[in-house]
Amino acid sequence: MAEKRKDKNGRILKTGENQRKNGTYDYRYTGTDKKVRCVYAKTLEELRRKEEIIQRDKADGIDYAAGEIMVSELIDRYVNLKRDWRENTRRAYGTAINRIKEDAFGQMKVRLVKPSDAKAFYIGLHDKGSKRNTITIFHSVLRPAFEMAVDDDIIRKNPFKFQVSDILQNDAEKRTALTVAQQKAYLKYVQENSQDNYYDDIVILLGTGLRVSELYGLTKKDVDFKTRCIFVDHQLCRTADKPYFITAPKTSSGVRTVPMSETVYAALKRVLKKRMASKSEPIIDGYGGFLFLDKSGMPKVAMHLENYMRNLQKKLNRIYGNTFPRVTPHVLRHTFCTNMQQGGIDVKSLQYLMGHSNVSVTLDVYTHTDFNAVQEAFRKVASSL
């Protein structure tokens, strides 16, 4: 009968257990992939706790060895399986993924991540200056990646199965719509002082609620002056990696037909009249005849208008002493939505015009009501009773 192996303290070692020359211990076992794996511990007690976990996981079909991969490796595995991400989504998520990989959290073993670790990672990002909306993007990657690990029997529970709002307060900058007086003042200043031909762009955004990338994606075929309709089924984007590319609207609900007001109709007519004649029309992903062109004859993109409005804001601040609200293309969209809501349009129609997939976004995020608007609405209803 073979003599039983013992450690230096005379304790009998089980199959697979071994005491190393430096006094620490290791345990060798065959994983589900038929490969020999090894775990280490400073004491025999610690080693056997690890053995119990391994045996329990093996009995339950949990792949302990796969759980040894790092968070960054799990993220790569998840991302490589995604084929439905749009260009802008992949770019936004890519920034978050890179930060995860650079952080110490990205080097943690997947099986060791606890809910407290996940929450601590988010709180750390927030303490370093990341807004909650930005951290929500991290959550949009990490939560499904760890859910995939659960489905693959790598871990038992998803440590990211919580809402970011449960641990962080909403710190997003409050969107404020321009008042009627502010809209008139802004348009008047642009019309009288703009040398860059952006007046009509702003008028159309304010009168349609289009996203700026949807506006600059419009071609001649997308505008019907007879029926006074604008057809939206794509947008024009630009990134540092890709100068120009066409994508579908932000959501499937973004495909819509937007009616023209008299003001928008006149502005679009002026755009066509002033549009530069080009010897060779730029073609982007099969689309040509773009309505809005820059000085070089190439289609405008969001960056053009954003830079213009940023410089314009500095001039307004000097005039109004920093009291004029910050105006961006998105503020124009927000103002359109609020104007429509306060004008009495029904919620479902407004949701359609904005291209929102969820009516709660239309109501909770974009519309803005103050006491004066409520008072006016009350007066209209009360007078009809």
Side-chain angles (χ1 to χ4, degrees):
M1 185 174 179
E3 184 179 351
K4 294 183 177 180
R5 296 180 304 111
K6 299 179 181 179
D7 68 0
K8 293 177 181 179
N9 294 322
R11 292 174 295 187
I12 296 174
L13 298 174
K14 299 177 183 178
T15 302
E17 293 177 346
N18 178 56
Q19 186 172 31
R20 308 169 77 196
K21 291 182 179 180
N22 61 4
T24 61
Y25 296 82
D26 64 51
Y27 171 67
R28 296 178 183 276
Y29 68 99
T30 303
T32 56
D33 56 0
K34 306 303 180 183
K35 292 183 179 180
V36 176
R37 304 284 179 176
C38 189
V39 293
Y40 303 90
K42 292 182 179 180
T43 66
L44 186 59
E45 291 78 14
E46 180 186 351
L47 184 72
R48 286 180 173 170
R49 285 196 294 270
K50 291 185 177 182
E51 289 178 46
E52 289 177 6
I53 294 173
I54 292 171
Q55 296 304 324
R56 185 184 66 188
D57 286 347
K58 287 179 70 175
D60 292 342
I62 303 297
D63 191 348
Y64 183 91
E68 294 290 299
I69 67 173
M70 296 185 297
V71 172
S72 59
E73 294 175 293
L74 178 67
I75 295 296
D76 283 338
R77 181 185 297 188
Y78 170 70
V79 171
N80 288 336
L81 294 174
K82 299 301 292 183
R83 292 293 181 269
D84 56 345
W85 282 355
R86 292 175 178 165
E87 187 74 27
N88 286 346
T89 301
R90 193 170 290 277
R91 181 164 55 90
Y93 285 2
T95 301
I97 291 167
N98 288 337
R99 287 194 62 182
I100 293 170
K101 290 181 176 181
E102 293 168 359
D103 194 276
F105 176 77
Q107 311 310 311
M108 283 190 69
K109 292 181 179 180
V110 169
R111 67 176 180 82
L112 297 180
V113 178
K114 302 293 188 290
S116 58
D117 298 314
K119 293 175 182 178
F121 174 58
Y122 287 165
I123 291 172
L125 289 173
H126 190 263
D127 290 346
K128 292 175 183 177
S130 295
K131 297 292 184 181
R132 193 180 82 174
N133 284 346
T134 300
I135 294 171
T136 301
I137 296 176
F138 285 78
H139 200 57
S140 297
V141 175
L142 286 165
R143 179 167 176 162
F146 272 82
E147 194 62 33
M148 179 186 72
V150 173
D151 293 340
D152 287 348
D153 294 326
I154 294 175
I155 54 177
R156 293 176 179 274
K157 295 180 180 179
N158 185 347
F160 284 89
K161 215 157 193 177
F162 60 86
Q163 299 296 324
V164 176
S165 57
D166 293 340
I167 59 172
L168 297 173
Q169 292 184 341
N170 188 2
D171 55 4
E173 182 180 346
K174 186 178 180 181
R175 296 187 178 99
T176 302
L178 300 176
T179 65
V180 173
Q182 289 168 344
Q183 292 171 53
K184 290 180 179 178
Y186 192 81
L187 288 172
K188 184 174 185 294
Y189 186 85
V190 173
Q191 188 174 34
E192 293 177 352
N193 297 277
S194 175
Q195 304 296 321
D196 298 308
N197 197 26
Y198 282 101
Y199 174 74
D200 289 322
D201 310 38
I202 293 171
V203 167
I204 296 167
L205 287 175
L206 193 57
T208 61
L210 294 181
R211 299 177 177 90
V212 64
S213 54
E214 293 172 342
L215 176 73
Y216 288 151
L218 292 179
T219 68
K220 294 177 182 179
K221 293 180 180 179
D222 299 319
V223 177
D224 189 334
F225 288 104
K226 185 176 293 186
T227 60
R228 300 200 173 199
C229 289
I230 300 171
F231 307 110
V232 182
D233 64 3
H234 63 277
Q235 55 184 347
L236 177 64
C237 300
R238 181 177 181 175
T239 68
D241 299 326
K242 296 181 68 174
Y244 294 97
F245 60 94
I246 296 290
T247 67
K250 190 173 181 181
T251 69
S252 58
S253 300
V255 177
R256 62 201 188 279
T257 300
V258 180
M260 300 180 201
S261 64
E262 286 293 336
T263 303
V264 171
Y265 175 88
L268 281 167
K269 281 288 190 180
R270 289 194 297 269
V271 169
L272 273 175
K273 185 176 180 180
K274 292 184 291 187
R275 184 179 182 275
M276 290 175 53
S278 179
K279 294 181 179 179
S280 58
E281 284 282 350
I283 304 296
I284 300 171
D285 294 337
Y287 287 80
F290 293 95
L291 294 182
F292 297 88
L293 303 178
D294 60 22
K295 294 177 181 178
S296 64
M298 292 298 293
K300 290 181 181 177
V301 291
M303 177 190 66
H304 290 106
L305 183 59
E306 289 165 356
N307 288 341
Y308 167 76
M309 296 179 80
R310 195 176 297 114
N311 291 328
L312 179 62
Q313 191 72 40
K314 296 177 183 177
K315 298 175 183 177
L316 289 171
N317 288 343
R318 287 196 291 269
I319 296 172
Y320 291 93
N322 293 323
T323 61
F324 202 89
R326 188 170 73 93
V327 186
T328 65
H330 202 83
V331 167
L332 299 179
R333 175 170 161 83
H334 178 43
T335 301
F336 166 82
C337 186
T338 301
N339 287 343
M340 290 291 103
Q341 182 243 348
Q342 293 181 353
I345 193 171
D346 67 275
V347 174
K348 293 303 290 183
S349 295
L350 183 54
Q351 178 190 357
Y352 174 83
L353 285 175
M354 297 300 291
H356 290 153
S357 57
N358 193 319
V359 73
S360 65
V361 177
T362 311
L363 289 174
D364 298 339
V365 180
Y366 286 87
T367 55
H368 173 78
T369 299
D370 57 20
F371 176 73
N372 291 332
V374 171
Q375 191 176 47
E376 180 63 27
F378 177 82
R379 187 162 38 243
K380 288 180 181 179
V381 174
S383 63
S384 65
L385 296 177

